[in-house]
Amino acid sequence: MAEKMVAEETAIKSGSDLDTVEAAHLTKATYLTKLDLRLIPVLGVTYTILFLDRTNIANARIEGLEADLNMPPNGYSTCIWIFFLPFVLIEIPSNMIMALPRIKPNVFLGVNMLILGVIATCQGLTHSYGGLLAIRFLMGIFEATLPAGAAFLIGEYYIRKEAALRFAYFFTFGVLGPCISGLLAYGIRNMDGVQGKEGWRWIFIIEGIFTIVISFFVFAFVPDFPEKTKILSGAEKEHLLMKLRADKGDQKLDIRSVNWFKVLGDYRIWGPTLMFFCCDMTAASMSAFIPTILTELGWKAARAQVMSIPIWLTGIVAQVFGCWVSGRVGWRFPFVLFGIVLAMVGWIIMNVYSERKGLAAGIRYFALFSMSAGTFIQMAMTTAWMTNNLRGRASTAVGTAIILGLGNCANFVASNVFIKHEAPFYPTGYRTGLGLTIAGAAICIGYVGLLVWHNRKLEKKRIVSGGEDDQNEYRYQY
């Protein structure tokens, strides 16, 4: 009933016919499901594939990648960070291009994914370390357009109370990437010697071909922005647009006359981005080094591939459940803070038990579960939290690009603090991870303070004005 009243109130303000609104309301559950089925699976699978292409180098590493390409001691770390260099630089201009009126999201994202798949396949064909570095750099360029573009499109379709769970679904597909990567690597490694190619080459080739195949689904099924969408009926589309206006206010859709300096300096973007950066240190460390750490805990390569899967599944369950509860209660920061505490427990265990023997291996394995649960609650929640408090297509485009671009800069840190000669204890890596997790807690508390201050200032203004709300003002969600 509450949503019906909101839609009708908005319809009165905009002069729409109430019978049309009522008809759309009766099918609201149906069209929301229609949006979920059309948006989340195809965009989510692109994220799964991206994580496959991004993290399968960790699986290839324990199958002999470094030795076969005669990589230097720091070669693996270089392969990690060189990928993220263009990845970070491209995301903002990419989302700005995608937001232009004549650009169709399905074509833009589909072309980039197709090219990415071809380049990713070439990882399995290169015969030199230099060639692998060049391919990883090119992959970073074309992959940069995809996660931020997908998150941008999702953020445009859902109101604030719906967004957290949808971002959880989206990020869950990402977590499936390394989970599936371990399972695929376990099976593909048995292709060692087929066509004269090593098993690690087949990991890259087969998973690259998956990317090419999925790109055609992107072309076929990714919809346009809400005001141009063709996947809803006329009444459903009208109801969706009114619901978005009622929740977010009138938003500027044309990005060509935007004050970009104001957008780029918005603390509502940078607060969640800094939190995402801190939690991504944990995710990046896990993605790149879980197979290696598991082998150093005593498991052979084949078993290490399989034993990584439950860790990622824990992250999926925690993420979806946490965001579902968050959507029901309407809060974000308590869940982000809880996730930070869980990740912190994992890093503390790693620091305390890294040099101990015996039962310490099992305790460190448990720590990976704590880190996974805590990290992936944070990643979905901070992204939803950011988009909940932004207005206008330009802000959403830039915000999703920054949080998934600069937020991923933690990969630069992770790839350089897990130093090979410090294995298997990695004191520098573990201390850095713990430090950034504690910093994330401080940023979260400070950011909530700013949002509370803003809302209290608006409330005082409302009291002074006699209870009348300024339509240009916007209360932030925390």
Side-chain angles (χ1 to χ4, degrees):
M1 285 297 295
E3 289 200 30
K4 179 179 177 181
M5 292 172 64
V6 169
E8 290 178 352
E9 181 182 353
T10 309
I12 293 172
K13 292 178 180 178
S14 61
S16 297
D17 182 72
L18 287 180
D19 291 336
T20 302
V21 175
E22 178 67 17
H25 178 74
L26 294 175
T27 62
K28 184 256 180 187
T30 302
Y31 87 71
L32 187 60
T33 303
K34 187 188 298 184
L35 289 178
D36 290 343
L37 293 176
R38 189 64 179 268
L39 279 166
I40 305 302
V42 65
L43 293 175
V45 169
T46 67
Y47 207 32
T48 302
I49 295 297
L50 298 183
F51 263 86
L52 279 177
D53 290 334
R54 183 188 303 179
T55 62
N56 57 15
I57 192 171
N59 303 109
R61 183 189 193 187
I62 63 175
E63 300 297 340
L65 168 69
E66 291 172 299
D68 289 340
L69 293 185
N70 296 313
M71 292 168 62
N74 66 340
Y76 179 75
S77 294
T78 303
C79 285
I80 300 295
W81 69 255
I82 201 170
F83 169 90
F84 284 98
L85 184 61
F87 185 90
V88 169
L89 297 175
I90 295 295
E91 284 206 320
I92 295 176
S94 170
N95 263 14
M96 291 168 63
I97 292 171
M98 182 172 154
L100 292 172
R102 296 186 180 181
I103 302 297
K104 293 185 178 296
N106 65 319
V107 175
F108 183 76
L109 297 176
V111 167
N112 281 281
M113 191 164 191
L114 177 61
I115 296 173
L116 173 66
V118 173
I119 296 171
T121 303
C122 291
Q123 290 180 105
L125 304 177
T126 185
H127 290 277
S128 70
Y129 170 59
L132 182 61
L133 289 181
I135 292 170
R136 297 285 296 176
F137 184 86
L138 291 173
M139 284 178 61
I141 294 174
F142 291 98
E143 184 171 323
T145 63
L146 298 166
F152 173 27
L153 194 58
I154 291 171
E156 287 290 290
Y157 267 93
Y158 295 99
I159 61 175
R160 287 185 285 181
K161 76 172 188 177
E162 298 167 349
L165 185 59
R166 273 69 190 187
F167 277 114
Y169 291 151
F170 176 66
F171 280 103
T172 291
F173 278 95
V175 182
L176 281 173
C179 178
I180 294 173
S181 183
L183 188 60
L184 285 175
Y186 178 73
I188 296 172
R189 69 190 300 273
N190 295 318
M191 295 180 66
D192 187 44
V194 175
Q195 297 293 315
K197 292 179 173 61
E198 297 88 342
W200 63 264
R201 292 186 183 276
W202 285 111
I203 292 175
F204 287 135
I205 292 169
I206 291 178
E207 294 181 8
I209 291 172
F210 285 167
T211 305
I212 295 172
V213 171
I214 295 299
S215 70
F216 294 103
F217 287 88
V218 174
F219 281 114
F221 294 109
V222 169
D224 210 331
F225 288 105
E227 71 278 5
K228 297 179 182 178
T229 188
K230 296 180 180 179
I231 63 174
L232 299 177
S233 68
E236 290 171 341
K237 178 179 173 181
E238 181 182 1
H239 186 273
L240 171 65
L241 295 176
M242 287 192 296
K243 186 177 69 169
L244 292 172
R245 284 197 299 270
D247 184 65
K248 301 180 180 181
D250 290 323
Q251 300 190 85
K252 191 171 185 177
L253 302 183
D254 192 340
I255 72 165
R256 290 172 293 186
S257 58
V258 169
N259 183 344
W260 291 108
F261 289 105
K262 183 178 179 180
V263 171
L264 290 170
D266 194 340
Y267 76 89
R268 295 170 300 170
I269 292 175
W270 289 103
T273 296
L274 291 174
M275 285 184 275
F276 193 100
F277 174 90
C278 292
C279 78
D280 194 54
M281 172 62 190
T282 308
S285 301
M286 292 170 61
S287 296
F289 296 99
I290 274 183
T292 303
I293 289 174
L294 293 184
T295 57
E296 288 164 354
L297 289 178
W299 288 310
K300 294 183 179 180
R303 190 180 179 193
Q305 304 282 21
V306 175
M307 294 300 290
S308 68
I309 296 172
I311 298 170
W312 300 111
L313 290 177
T314 300
I316 291 174
V317 173
Q319 181 171 250
V320 173
F321 180 73
C323 287
W324 177 77
V325 176
S326 172
R328 302 280 291 184
V329 302
W331 290 81
R332 301 288 178 264
F333 89 88
F335 297 90
V336 173
L337 208 54
F338 177 68
I340 291 172
V341 171
L342 281 179
M344 196 181 301
V345 168
W347 282 114
I348 290 172
I349 290 173
M350 285 296 189
N351 276 277
V352 172
Y353 287 91
S354 62
E355 299 186 25
R356 300 188 185 183
K357 307 290 185 182
L359 291 176
I363 296 173
R364 290 175 67 197
Y365 186 53
F366 164 79
L368 293 173
F369 287 86
S370 180
M371 293 162 72
S372 178
T375 296
F376 291 107
I377 288 176
Q378 293 178 69
M379 293 182 80
M381 203 74 69
T382 51
T383 305
W385 195 6
M386 182 198 70
T387 59
N388 287 167
N389 290 328
L390 296 179
R391 297 176 75 183
R393 182 154 295 168
S395 291
T396 306
V398 171
T400 50
I402 288 178
I403 197 170
L404 293 178
L406 296 181
N408 271 299
C409 282
N411 287 271
F412 290 113
V413 180
S415 63
N416 286 286
V417 297
F418 281 83
I419 304 167
K420 189 170 184 178
H421 72 260
E422 291 186 349
F425 307 127
Y426 298 116
T428 303
Y430 295 152
R431 290 167 188 165
T432 304
L434 178 59
L436 284 176
T437 303
I438 294 172
I443 294 166
C444 179
I445 294 169
Y447 181 62
V448 171
L450 286 173
L451 299 183
V452 171
W453 172 79
H454 171 86
N455 286 354
R456 286 182 177 175
K457 185 175 70 171
L458 287 188
E459 184 61 25
K460 289 180 181 178
K461 185 184 293 186
R462 188 187 69 83
I463 293 172
V464 170
S465 64
E468 293 184 3
D469 282 330
D470 184 343
Q471 294 300 313
N472 292 320
E473 298 288 4
Y474 190 58
R475 284 170 176 77
Y476 299 151
Q477 186 179 61
Y478 46 81

